[in-house]
């Protein structure tokens, strides 16, 4: 009995459980620290605070003083009186233990099926799953069952909260009504989330399919490139063997000729040596009469020394002309084969023959005679006006692309600032402003180098920070109309990708150029 009384004294009036970290207000009432903090949080912004026990009011949020002595008492009490383990909930009205099926919040009692059938069906009697802990279903201020929901404050409340409390005059609903509305909202949210999840799944599937397709495409391109280089190596090896074979043949032929001549000359040398000896013997005779009477062989006196230079020419020399001709013709044939092989392997990209269209050029733009370069002048050109001519400093190509794959190159080395790309035929031309500039509308896509390098479309800009703008001297542009891809490349060693636009092209596209002052752009 004494321990029961002690347990009651050590219970928080908010949670009705044994104190946890007990703290006290200036009025002397003690609560669990978490419980009183939650109460004070709900009172925030109401112009003051009050004690849940005695309603003592405070202008400022009251300080919480920890009661260490009471904490020690609670700790000793819990050690000597451990809380019983949770047991099954039984019917309040059965003499023998019968499991309860529902608990009435109004009656604060649990019922089996038999007694539940006799229970009040009034809306005030709220039934829940069997429970012995009803504290969380009671208002911590008025200790009454929470039956309503304040729609303005989004908080469950009791009748006193609505009639006389902080929620007086607010729009409230019964808990079950508010719960059903929230469930309906949640069901709608769930349907929306399911739709988003399905769309996300479709996007994931599309990405996986794209990855698989690109992986298969990469494998196919790798195979074609490998075959191409194997064929090139085979043809180069054949050409190399032919040229080296011709060099070896000429060397062998020249070597045989030299060997034959050397053999002949060695014989001639031996014969000359013999004749020299014969003459020297005659010259060594001291008797003049004998010398005069001695007749030398007939061919000794008439013998002339051989012409050494003619001997070298007679042997022949390496014919570098025929070797160069073989190499030249072989490489030309290899180039022809290479074009055929690239086309056969579907690796061929033909450079488009692009010329600038004077009918579109702004009157301050100078077009070169070959129509492949453009610059700006201070002198106004009196060109005939027409619907195709730009008021802004822009010019288009004379040809357009409405299908297929196309590639061209632009030399920007003589331009500190440049803007190049493609534009549809319907791009605005009679306004000197953003509506007509390349990349500043939905009719054009461009790459610009000003203070930095950026890709532009429909006024959306993307900086290309990994590339030094000063290093870009020549730009390669690749258009795949059906695939909806427009790519820009820095033509250096190695070639570097700058940016790729992905779009659905719906009209013919022209190569487009904005020409800045003191600059020159040139089609390669």
């Amino acid at each position: 009995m004494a321990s029961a009384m002690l347990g009651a004294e050590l219970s928080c009036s908010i949670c009705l459980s044994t104190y946890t970290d007990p703290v006290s207000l200036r009025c002397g009432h003690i609560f669990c620290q978490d419980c009183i903090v939650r109460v004070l949080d709900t009172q925030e912004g109401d112009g003051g605070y009050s004690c849940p026990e005695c309603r003592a009011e405070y202008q400022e949020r009251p300080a919480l003083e920890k009661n260490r002595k009471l904490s020690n008492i609670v700790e000793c009490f819990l050690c000597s009186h451990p809380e019983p383990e949770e047991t099954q909930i039984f019917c309040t009205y059965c003499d023998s233990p019968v499991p309860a099926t529902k608990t009435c919040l109004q009656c604060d009692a649990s019922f089996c099926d038999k007694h539940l059938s006799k229970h009040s069906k009034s809306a005030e009697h709220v039934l829940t799953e069997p429970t012995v802990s009803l504290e969380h279903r009671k208002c911590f201020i008025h200790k009454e069952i929470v039956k309503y929901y304040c729609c303005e404050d989004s908080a469950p409340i009791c009748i006193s909260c609505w009639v006389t409390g902080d929620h007086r005059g607010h729009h409230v609903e019964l808990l079950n009504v508010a719960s059903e509305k929230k469930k309906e909202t949640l069901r709608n949210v769930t349907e929306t989330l399911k739709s988003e999840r399905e769309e996300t799944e479709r996007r994931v599937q599309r990405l996986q399919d794209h990855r698989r397709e690109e992986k298969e495409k990469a494998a196919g391109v790798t195979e074609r490139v490998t075959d191409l280089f194997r064929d090139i190596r085979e043809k180069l090896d054949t050409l190399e063997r032919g040229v080296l074979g011709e060099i070896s043949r000429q060397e062998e032929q020249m070597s045989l000729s030299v060997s034959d001549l050397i053999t002949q000359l060695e014989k001639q040398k031996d014969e000359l040596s013999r004749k020299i000896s014969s003459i020297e013997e005659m010259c060594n005779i001291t008797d003049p009469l004998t010398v005069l009477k001695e007749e030398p062989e007939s061919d000794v006196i008439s013998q002339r020394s051989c012409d050494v230079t003619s001997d070298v020419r007679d042997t022949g020399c390496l014919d570098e002309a025929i070797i160069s001709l073989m190499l030249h013709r072989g490489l030309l044939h290899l180039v022809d084969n290479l074009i055929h092989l690239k086309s056969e392997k579907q690796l061929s990209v033909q450079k488009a023959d692009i010329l600038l269209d004077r009918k579109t050029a702004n009157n301050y733009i100078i077009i070169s005679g070959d129509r492949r370069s453009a610059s700006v002048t201070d002198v106004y050109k009196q060109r005939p006006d027409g619907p195709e001519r730009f008021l802004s400093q822009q010019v288009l190509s004379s040809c357009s692309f409405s299908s297929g794959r196309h590639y061209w190159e632009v030399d920007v080395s003589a331009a500190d600032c440049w803007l190049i790309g493609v534009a549809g035929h319907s791009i605005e031309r009679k306004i000197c402003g953003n509506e007509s500039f390349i990349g500043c509308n939905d009719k054009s896509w461009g790459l610009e180098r000003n203070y930095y390098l950026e890709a532009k479309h429909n006024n959306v800009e993307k900086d290309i920070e990994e590339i030094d703008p000063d290093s870009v001297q020549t730009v390669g542009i690749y258009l795949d109309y059906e695939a909806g891809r427009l790519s820009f490349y820095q033509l250096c060693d190695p070639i570097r990708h700058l940016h790729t636009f992905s779009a659905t092209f719906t009209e013919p596209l022209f190569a487009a150029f904005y020409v800045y002052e003191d600059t020159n752009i040139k089609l390669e």
Side-chain angles (χ1 to χ4, degrees):
M1 184 70 167
S3 42
M5 292 177 61
L6 178 58
E9 289 295 325
L10 297 179
S11 297
C12 173
S13 61
I14 296 177
C15 66
L16 305 180
S17 299
T18 306
Y19 288 124
T20 301
D21 297 329
V23 293
S24 60
L25 300 177
R26 289 200 299 270
C27 60
H29 291 106
I30 301 173
F31 309 93
C32 298
Q33 182 173 345
D34 289 344
C35 294
I36 188 61
V37 166
R38 284 197 298 271
V39 172
L40 295 176
D41 286 344
T42 61
Q43 297 174 352
E44 189 118 20
D46 292 340
Y49 301 86
S50 61
C51 172
E53 190 80 17
C54 66
R55 314 300 291 178
E57 296 184 352
Y58 304 94
Q59 293 299 320
E60 296 181 354
R61 185 173 180 130
L64 304 178
E65 299 178 4
K66 188 167 184 177
N67 196 319
R68 299 186 181 279
K69 198 171 281 189
L70 184 57
S71 293
N72 295 333
I73 295 173
V74 170
E75 185 176 351
C76 293
F77 175 78
L78 292 177
C79 290
S80 58
H81 299 82
E83 294 184 0
E85 295 183 2
E86 185 177 352
T87 58
Q88 188 175 3
I89 301 169
F90 299 104
C91 177
T92 305
Y93 299 100
C94 288
D95 295 332
S96 58
V98 176
T101 57
K102 293 292 181 180
T103 296
C104 177
L105 303 182
Q106 180 69 22
C107 302
D108 199 3
S110 299
F111 302 89
C112 63
D113 289 333
K114 175 183 176 181
H115 289 99
L116 182 62
S117 62
K118 302 176 182 179
H119 182 258
S120 173
K121 302 298 189 294
S122 171
E124 296 179 354
H125 292 259
V126 180
L127 297 176
T128 66
E129 294 303 313
T131 179
V132 294
S133 177
L134 300 177
E135 291 80 8
H136 68 287
R137 294 187 173 272
K138 291 183 179 181
C139 175
F140 59 82
I141 297 176
H142 303 106
K143 306 301 184 291
E144 296 180 11
I145 297 297
V146 172
K147 299 180 181 178
Y148 302 96
Y149 182 79
C150 177
C151 299
E152 296 183 20
D153 295 332
S154 301
I157 61 174
C158 67
I159 186 64
S160 297
C161 290
W162 181 24
V163 176
T164 61
D166 296 336
H167 301 273
R168 182 175 53 197
H170 289 186
H171 174 62
V172 300
E173 294 176 343
L174 291 173
L175 282 180
N176 59 341
V177 174
S179 174
E180 288 303 320
K181 288 184 177 180
K182 185 172 183 178
K183 288 180 181 178
E184 182 63 26
T185 300
L186 292 176
R187 280 191 285 268
N188 293 334
V189 171
T190 301
E191 291 302 318
T192 302
L193 293 178
K194 285 181 179 178
S195 298
E196 292 181 1
R197 183 181 64 184
E198 291 173 359
E199 177 59 26
T200 302
E201 290 174 351
R202 286 193 291 270
R203 292 176 62 188
V204 169
Q205 186 61 47
R206 286 197 296 269
L207 287 172
Q208 291 175 343
D209 292 342
H210 177 71
R211 179 174 61 185
R212 184 183 66 256
E213 292 169 0
E214 291 302 311
K215 189 174 182 180
E216 293 173 355
K217 186 188 298 182
V221 173
T222 299
E223 183 178 359
R224 295 199 299 273
V225 170
T226 302
D227 291 344
L228 173 64
F229 278 99
R230 184 180 61 248
D231 292 343
I232 292 173
R233 280 192 290 269
E234 290 176 357
K235 295 183 182 304
L236 278 173
D237 290 343
T238 301
L239 177 61
E240 181 184 17
R241 286 194 298 271
V243 173
L244 293 180
E246 174 63 19
I247 295 173
S248 297
R249 187 191 66 77
Q250 290 191 34
E251 180 188 14
E252 184 179 357
Q253 184 178 2
M254 181 268 299
S255 180
L256 290 174
S257 298
V258 170
S259 296
D260 290 343
L261 281 175
I262 288 175
T263 301
Q264 295 176 16
L265 290 174
E266 288 290 346
K267 291 181 180 179
Q268 184 177 352
K269 185 184 72 171
D270 292 342
E271 182 65 21
L272 290 174
S273 297
R274 183 186 63 78
K275 292 179 178 180
I276 290 172
S277 297
S278 177
I279 294 173
E280 286 178 346
E281 289 178 0
M282 291 182 64
C283 291
N284 290 331
I285 297 174
T286 57
D287 183 9
L289 183 60
T290 302
V291 171
L292 294 174
K293 288 183 177 181
E294 187 74 26
E295 291 293 334
E297 296 181 12
S298 61
D299 60 343
V300 170
I301 301 301
S302 62
Q303 182 64 40
R304 296 166 60 184
S305 60
C306 62
D307 189 345
V308 177
T309 303
S310 63
D311 291 341
V312 172
R313 286 198 301 268
D314 290 342
T315 61
C317 300
L318 185 68
D319 192 346
E320 293 187 43
I322 193 171
I323 294 172
S324 298
L325 184 60
M326 286 180 64
L327 189 60
H328 177 71
R329 288 174 59 84
L331 289 176
L332 288 179
H333 184 63
L334 179 62
V335 170
D336 293 337
N337 283 332
L338 179 59
I339 295 173
H340 172 72
L341 285 173
K342 287 196 302 178
S343 176
E344 187 180 64
K345 305 296 183 184
Q346 297 179 350
L347 295 169
S348 179
V349 177
Q350 299 295 330
K351 186 186 291 188
D353 186 17
I354 292 181
L355 300 177
L356 300 176
D357 188 359
R358 290 192 176 93
K359 295 193 303 295
T360 66
N362 172 267
N363 279 311
Y364 286 101
I365 293 179
I366 300 175
I367 305 297
S368 62
D370 61 2
R371 295 166 57 195
R372 302 191 67 86
S373 64
S375 57
V376 171
T377 179
D378 293 334
V379 180
Y380 184 82
K381 301 293 183 180
Q382 294 289 344
R383 299 189 181 106
D385 193 15
E388 297 180 354
R389 192 171 307 286
F390 280 100
L391 290 183
S392 56
Q393 292 179 188
Q394 295 187 150
V395 60
L396 300 181
S397 63
S398 57
C399 62
S400 64
F401 311 108
S402 55
S403 64
R405 299 174 180 177
H406 307 275
Y407 173 77
W408 63 95
E409 298 174 0
V410 184
D411 182 355
V412 293
S413 59
D416 293 331
C417 300
W418 45 265
L419 173 56
I420 58 179
V422 300
H425 185 272
S426 61
I427 186 172
E428 178 61 54
R429 307 180 189 222
K430 298 305 179 183
I431 296 177
C432 187
N434 283 353
E435 295 89 342
S436 66
F437 293 159
I438 301 170
C440 294
N441 48 71
D442 62 355
K443 306 296 183 182
S444 59
W445 297 259
L447 183 72
E448 182 177 27
R449 189 265 198 256
N450 206 323
Y451 297 105
Y452 41 82
L453 198 63
E454 62 182 12
K456 305 172 66 174
H457 171 63
N458 205 16
N459 271 330
V460 177
E461 302 173 352
K462 181 184 182 301
D463 292 341
I464 305 175
E465 299 176 348
E466 62 274 13
I467 303 294
D468 178 12
D470 294 333
S471 67
V472 182
Q473 301 294 308
T474 305
V475 179
I477 304 175
Y478 180 74
L479 171 65
D480 189 338
Y481 193 95
E482 281 81 8
R485 294 175 65 84
L486 175 69
S487 300
F488 296 84
Y489 301 91
Q490 177 187 10
L491 301 185
C492 56
D493 190 14
I495 295 174
R496 301 186 66 181
H497 174 258
L498 298 176
H499 185 74
T500 293
F501 290 104
S502 295
T504 300
F505 302 128
T506 58
E507 62 178 320
L509 298 178
F510 296 81
F513 311 87
Y514 184 98
V515 188
Y516 286 87
E517 285 79 4
D518 302 323
T519 63
N520 179 275
I521 59 170
K522 181 180 180 182
L523 288 163
E524 290 289 298

